[in-house]
Amino acid sequence: MSLLQVTSYDQHFYKEYLENFLPDTFIDCHNHIWLQRFVTGELSASRSCAWPEMVAKDNSIEDLMETNLELFPGKRVIPVLYSHVNIAVDTVQSNQYVQECAKAHQLPALYLSRPEEPLEEIERHVTEGNFCGLKVYLEYAPSYIPTNEIRIYDFLPPNQLALADKHGWVVQLHIARPKRLADPLNYVQLLEIEQKYPNLQLLVAHLGRAYADEDLGDALEYLKNTEKTVWDFTANTNAYVMEQVLNYFGPDRFIYGSDFPIFRMKARRVVENGFYINEIPAGSLGDVSADPHMREISGPDKEKITFFIYEEIAACKRAAVKLGLNQTDIDKIFYWNSARIFGLTS
């Protein structure tokens, strides 16, 4: 039985807009895998959005592989693995599962760390588990810190940054705060990390969560002299934001990620007054009425809502066309940059 419901419209969208744009082999830098039995507490959305938890109760390595087979026929996708980041998921079990799957399938992986975790424990797990570095998340900042006041260093403390710098690890970062990338505290700390820890490789997930034009603020101008920080456009469908990031940092520092299983849902994103809204086919995710980021679409129009990941890649294509990027640039974005970062080049 098919994991996804691929319609003739989805097939047409893929063939018309994406098939010839995507390289035959590409790397996906952003995938969550976990099993339902690792969920040992109550799933929380107190520090993040509720809607991603509606997509899948788990995402096994088999489901991830099947997702790529169904969504990208004729292509080979190399996923980078790491755990689900909800506070209810047992990170010990989940990190172990990621390690086992990465080894079995010869895939790169990141270790999900908590800010209170002893350094020697992190160092041992990453080194012995052959992880490429760390995945960190705002969910794990101390509970006494109000959500809107979480700083990068609250969930990615300087001692972990120093450890990553010592080993030259990758660190993938999902920033917090209501203004997202436009918050000066975020972009000042991003610059500070590059300057203080030059040996680690920082990946800024979701283009700094700049889902609306307004989420950019003055950040790119402030960060324009950075030399190493890389931007992943995971779960972002804003072609203008992509264009701006590419303008400032070029295709050598821009990489693809899916955020599977979340972006295997069917949706399209609109922005109203700086606030993003995911439009989804009515009834496809259950009751979403309590989430202001969700809007159900009924009638014939809902049949023309394709997979969210297709919308993401199509936005990247629009930005690439607008900037006149060539095939070499596209290959860098979808393969070579991540191959370099995750050690997949021979």
Side-chain angles (χ1 to χ4, degrees):
M1 183 177 179
S2 175
L3 179 67
L4 306 175
Q5 294 181 340
V6 182
T7 66
S8 58
Y9 179 78
D10 301 322
Q11 293 171 337
H12 171 77
F13 193 100
Y14 175 74
K15 285 197 164 291
E16 180 74 17
Y17 300 108
L18 307 182
E19 186 174 35
N20 293 332
F21 174 67
L22 289 167
D24 290 339
T25 299
F26 56 98
I27 300 170
D28 179 350
C29 77
H30 198 127
N31 297 268
H32 303 277
I33 61 168
W34 77 102
L35 302 179
Q36 177 65 17
R37 70 172 183 266
F38 303 157
V39 181
T40 57
E42 188 71 26
L43 286 172
S44 168
S46 61
R47 289 185 157 178
S48 54
C49 296
W51 62 268
E53 300 299 338
M54 302 175 183
V55 179
K57 66 178 182 180
D58 62 13
N59 191 41
S60 67
I61 187 66
E62 291 80 11
D63 281 358
L64 176 61
M65 296 302 192
E66 181 63 24
T67 296
N68 282 316
L69 283 173
E70 293 191 31
L71 291 180
F72 303 110
K75 307 292 183 180
R76 178 186 175 220
V77 185
I78 303 170
V80 179
L81 309 177
Y82 42 84
S83 169
H84 189 14
V85 292
N86 195 286
I87 198 74
V89 175
D90 185 310
T91 55
V92 173
Q93 293 184 70
S94 194
N95 275 323
Q96 181 63 35
Y97 178 67
V98 169
Q99 179 185 333
E100 292 168 357
C101 292
K103 181 178 180 180
H105 295 269
Q106 297 184 304
L107 295 172
L110 296 176
Y111 178 81
L112 179 62
S113 65
R114 293 172 177 259
E116 74 277 7
E117 196 169 351
L119 288 187
E120 60 273 15
E121 185 175 302
I122 295 174
E123 187 170 36
R124 177 173 59 84
H125 284 305
V126 173
T127 303
E128 294 179 0
N130 201 31
F131 289 96
C132 298
L134 306 179
K135 168 66 178 179
V136 298
Y137 197 64
L138 61 97
E139 184 92 8
Y140 303 109
S143 59
Y144 62 81
I145 301 174
T147 299
N148 290 348
E149 297 178 19
I150 295 174
R151 305 163 300 170
I152 292 172
Y153 297 142
D154 292 325
F155 58 98
L156 176 56
N159 63 348
Q160 289 190 18
L161 283 162
L163 181 64
D165 189 66
K166 169 187 170 184
H167 289 282
W169 289 344
V170 177
V171 177
Q172 190 170 57
L173 172 65
H174 175 123
I175 62 174
R177 307 178 73 82
K179 290 186 177 181
R180 307 169 187 269
L181 187 60
D183 192 308
L185 190 56
N186 276 331
Y187 59 72
V188 166
Q189 291 186 341
L190 288 175
L191 179 59
E192 191 172 70
I193 289 170
E194 171 159 314
Q195 292 174 338
K196 285 188 174 182
Y197 309 100
N199 295 319
L200 64 78
Q201 176 58 71
L202 186 67
L203 307 183
V204 182
H206 315 300
L207 304 183
R209 297 174 62 240
Y211 304 128
D213 298 0
E214 294 87 344
D215 294 333
L216 286 174
D218 298 322
L220 302 185
E221 184 65 22
Y222 186 86
L223 295 167
K224 65 181 179 182
N225 293 323
T226 55
E227 299 178 354
K228 193 176 179 183
T229 299
V230 169
W231 302 79
D232 91 47
F233 59 94
T234 302
N236 199 311
T237 64
N238 189 315
Y240 171 79
V241 170
M242 295 183 189
E243 179 187 337
Q244 295 307 304
V245 174
L246 282 163
N247 262 327
Y248 272 89
F249 308 114
D252 290 328
R253 292 166 56 191
F254 195 76
I255 60 175
Y256 164 73
S258 68
D259 212 358
F260 284 151
I262 299 167
F263 255 47
R264 76 185 193 202
M265 67 189 281
K266 290 195 172 182
R268 64 191 178 205
R269 183 169 288 161
V270 297
V271 177
E272 298 174 357
N273 299 316
F275 188 84
Y276 81 82
I277 299 170
N278 301 324
E279 295 186 332
I280 65 170
S284 61
L285 286 183
D287 184 6
V288 299
S289 59
D291 193 324
H293 286 291
M294 303 296 278
R295 176 186 294 160
E296 292 191 308
I297 302 298
S298 301
D301 193 36
K302 77 174 185 178
E303 305 301 327
K304 294 187 177 181
I305 299 178
T306 190
F307 296 102
F308 225 167
I309 191 61
Y310 286 1
E311 295 285 357
E312 176 191 316
I313 298 170
C316 179
K317 181 179 179 180
R318 292 195 298 274
V321 170
K322 181 79 175 291
L323 294 173
L325 300 188
N326 58 32
Q327 189 59 50
T328 299
D329 297 324
I330 302 306
D331 289 345
K332 288 178 180 178
I333 290 168
F334 283 90
Y335 183 82
W336 290 110
N337 295 340
S338 284
R340 180 187 71 251
I341 290 166
F342 294 102
L344 298 176
T345 54
S346 56

